[in-house]
Every structure is written in structure tokens, then in C-alpha cells.
Amino acid sequence: MHDQSMRRGGQLTKGSPPGSGVWPAGLEGVAATLEGLLSASAGLSGQLEHLSLIHLHLDDAEPLVATSSLALAMAREQLRRRSGPAYEAVETGMPVIVSSSERPGRFPSAAPSAAEQEQASEVAVPVRSRGRPAGALSVYWTELVDVDLPALTMAQALAAQAGDLIDHRRQVMNLHAAMRSRELIGQACGVLMSRYGLAEEQAMHALRLVSQERNVKLREVSAEVAESGTLVELD
């Protein structure tokens, strides 16, 4: 089961460069964690062999994680057509269960691909990010099954963990960015104080004024000053 695991929209390979694939730089570690989480769940439960995870706010072209070639193909098809149980789960914020007999009427564009992949049943549950549905975790079966409460509960638990992992990593990234911004602003103020004989408050005021006049972020102006050692507007 584990040797079929996939993430970043393709087969896992060693030595992949950081930030490659569908994951933004800084979220690669989450990809590995989610891949392990879903693959372990697939190994523990025969009902959850084929799993995929999409997150529309991170990438809308490839699934973030897929545990089998069937799951990868089905998730890609829904993303390509922008239709299917995963999309309905995001739109409604509710689990969506569909069988092969129901799919042509509910999701006609996705029905041919499902039949080609011999995919008979599917459940998609929303993955929440910042309190709102932003993606979906899907479970696929090659046989027609009645999705029971234990399978649905397991899928919902995995979706909740996935959402928490992504949100936590984003918070860490935002914190690091804020700390880096403060460092850059401090460096830029030091440059202006040394070069132009300004007081700290004057240097800060100059950076903010240029930021407003250029309509760019204070961080960008500060990075420019820290790198160049000057501020054009003051020369």
C-alpha cells in the first residue's frame, strides 16, 4: 500500500528540489506529513485504500496528496473539469456521497472518467482552512459500497487533521515573515540614521513616506535600503 503513495501530483522521488510541484515553498514539510498520514490510514483500513486531498487555495491544477494512481487520476479529473463531489463538498461545507449510478445525473462531466477508472463509489468531505471549506479529502472505491458511519467518520477526522496541519504551517510561515520584516525595517533605519544623520523616528518616518508615495510595502522599501545602502528620495 505504502509503495503506491503519491504526493505533489506524482510519484514520490528522492532529491526533489524544495518548493517544487504544487506545494508553495515552506509547505513541503506538510506534504510529507500528509502523505504519511493518509498512507498510514490507507494501510490500517481496507476501506480507505484510495484517498486524495485537494486544496483550492494552494493549487487548483494538481491534488496535494494521493495514495494511489486511481485517486490521483480521479482528483486530477475533478480539478481539470472544476466539477465533482470534491467541489460540491467545498461549496456546501458538507460530506458528499455518490455512486456510479448517481454520478451521470449529478456530475455528468466527471462520469466518463470515473467509469474509465473503474471507480464505483466516492465520498468527499470538506477540508477547512481558517474556518471555511477550502479543499476536500476524497475516498474512492472500485466496488459499489454503502458508505457507513465509521468510514465517513475516519474521512472527516483525516480532513480535520489535514486542515489543521496546513493552517498551523501557514501561521508559522506568517510569523517568520513578520520577524523578517521587522529585521529588514530595523536594518533600513540603521542605514538611514548612519548615512543621513537621522534620528530613529525620522528614519522610520522616511521609510513610511516613501512606502506610501511608491504604493509598495514597507518591507520592500526596507529591503531596498538595506541592500543598496541608500534611499533615492533622500539623495
Side-chain angles (χ1 to χ4, degrees):
M1 204 81 64
H2 292 276
D3 60 354
Q4 291 181 314
S5 62
M6 300 180 185
R7 60 183 166 93
R8 296 199 297 268
Q11 186 67 38
L12 278 172
T13 56
K14 294 182 179 180
S16 298
S20 64
V22 302
W23 287 90
L27 285 176
E28 283 284 326
V30 179
T33 303
L34 286 173
E35 185 273 330
L37 175 66
L38 267 64
S39 293
S41 300
L44 290 172
S45 172
Q47 284 191 307
L48 303 180
E49 178 179 356
H50 306 287
L51 294 160
S52 72
L53 173 67
I54 66 171
H55 194 296
L56 302 184
H57 293 177
L58 295 181
D59 186 271
D60 61 0
E62 288 285 338
L64 300 184
V65 181
T67 62
S68 69
S69 57
L70 182 151
L72 179 64
M74 291 302 304
R76 278 178 171 172
E77 187 67 12
Q78 292 192 52
L79 288 165
R80 186 175 72 86
R81 298 184 181 277
R82 307 188 71 81
S83 174
Y87 274 85
E88 185 171 305
V90 174
E91 292 172 0
T92 64
M94 299 291 291
V96 176
I97 301 173
V98 62
S99 66
S100 55
S101 61
E102 298 169 328
R103 188 174 287 104
R106 294 180 62 181
F107 310 104
S109 64
S113 177
E116 182 179 333
Q117 295 293 330
E118 299 181 354
Q119 187 262 309
S121 299
E122 178 180 350
V123 58
V125 296
V127 172
R128 296 183 178 276
S129 179
R130 301 172 183 174
R132 294 179 297 178
L137 184 138
S138 299
V139 186
Y140 311 91
W141 289 268
T142 56
E143 298 179 356
L144 192 62
V145 299
D146 291 326
V147 180
D148 57 16
L149 183 59
L152 180 58
T153 301
M154 175 67 80
Q156 289 176 315
L158 288 172
Q161 291 182 61
D164 288 345
L165 280 168
I166 293 172
D167 281 350
H168 174 71
R169 183 53 186 164
R170 274 180 156 170
Q171 290 174 1
V172 172
M173 290 171 63
N174 290 338
L175 178 60
H176 287 172
M179 293 175 63
R180 178 57 179 159
S181 293
R182 291 185 63 180
E183 291 176 1
L184 283 172
I185 293 170
Q187 291 174 15
C189 282
V191 168
L192 297 184
M193 292 166 65
S194 175
R195 181 178 177 85
Y196 301 104
L198 301 178
E200 184 176 358
E201 290 184 1
Q202 292 174 315
M204 191 68 210
H205 177 73
L207 290 173
R208 286 175 175 157
L209 188 61
V210 171
S211 172
Q212 293 172 0
E213 290 178 347
R214 295 186 187 178
N215 194 28
V216 298
K217 293 182 179 179
L218 183 60
R219 172 192 171 94
E220 296 179 24
V221 177
S222 299
E224 176 189 318
V225 172
E227 182 178 353
S228 66
T230 187
L231 185 60
V232 175
E233 283 81 355
L234 295 181
D235 286 340

